[in-house]
Amino acid sequence: MKLKNFGFLILPSLIFGLSSCLGDDEYSDYKEWRQQNLAYIENAENETVDGKPKYEKITPEWDKSFYILMQWHNDRSLTANNLSPLDNSTCKVKYILTTIEGDTIESSYAMTEYGDSLLQCQPSGMITGFWTAMTSMHVGDSVTAIIPYTAGYGAYGSGSVLPYSTLIFGIKLVSIPSFETIPGRQ
């Protein structure tokens, strides 16, 4: 009806609205933070203890486009014969997540006032970097996993995690109560 006469107003408004979304405003808002996080990763990669790298670079077989850094806090020879989770194993873990500045973002220790502080999860249900860390561990292992934003929450962040954030997880793989489940069955 008469809406045809207002097309000249709607089209320019739509074009202006879309073009404002295409800029790199989001990137520029976090440019300094992104640089700090990239520098943190680079420094961690170059850190040594007694002439050996402090962190091991882990690149999963299924996606060579990213990596995480891991430091084990236990004697791996003592856990070498223990189970290592599959992608869809049900696992119990303890974890703490911090920023590069040392601020705690989240922790399984804060999940409950009563009982244990275990998170039950499947590696494939977690962010890519946490998934990679878990499937690289054996039951009983404790690690620090440094996860670049590309294997974490990316350029958008999540909740209190800012875009481009490097994630630092302290993880202990406590048990694997269900080593593998068949998808679609209970």
Side-chain angles (χ1 to χ4, degrees), residues 1-98:
M1 297 209 250
K2 297 198 179 216
L3 289 179
K4 290 180 184 178
N5 296 335
F6 292 105
F8 69 95
L9 291 176
I10 295 172
L11 186 58
S13 299
L14 184 61
I15 290 171
F16 175 75
L18 288 175
S19 66
S20 67
C21 294
L22 297 175
D24 63 343
D25 294 337
E26 198 168 330
Y27 173 76
S28 63
D29 288 347
Y30 295 99
K31 188 174 185 176
E32 187 177 318
W33 176 247
R34 181 177 183 263
Q35 290 304 318
Q36 290 173 2
N37 281 268
L38 292 172
Y40 185 91
I41 291 285
E42 186 176 331
N43 290 336
E45 280 186 77
N46 296 321
E47 238 180 297
T48 59
V49 175
D50 299 328
K52 297 178 184 175
K54 181 175 180 179
Y55 296 97
E56 183 178 342
K57 195 174 198 175
I58 306 290
T59 304
E61 289 295 319
W62 44 271
D63 188 348
K64 301 288 187 185
S65 68
F66 75 92
Y67 66 93
I68 64 170
L69 301 175
M70 288 179 65
Q71 176 190 27
W72 276 263
H73 300 292
N74 58 284
D75 181 351
R76 293 208 68 206
S77 67
L78 299 176
T79 61
N81 293 325
N82 295 351
L83 287 177
S84 191
L86 301 173
D87 297 339
N88 61 348
S89 297
T90 299
C91 304
K92 290 189 177 184
V93 298
K94 292 183 180 191
Y95 75 94
I96 186 165
L97 169 59
T98 59

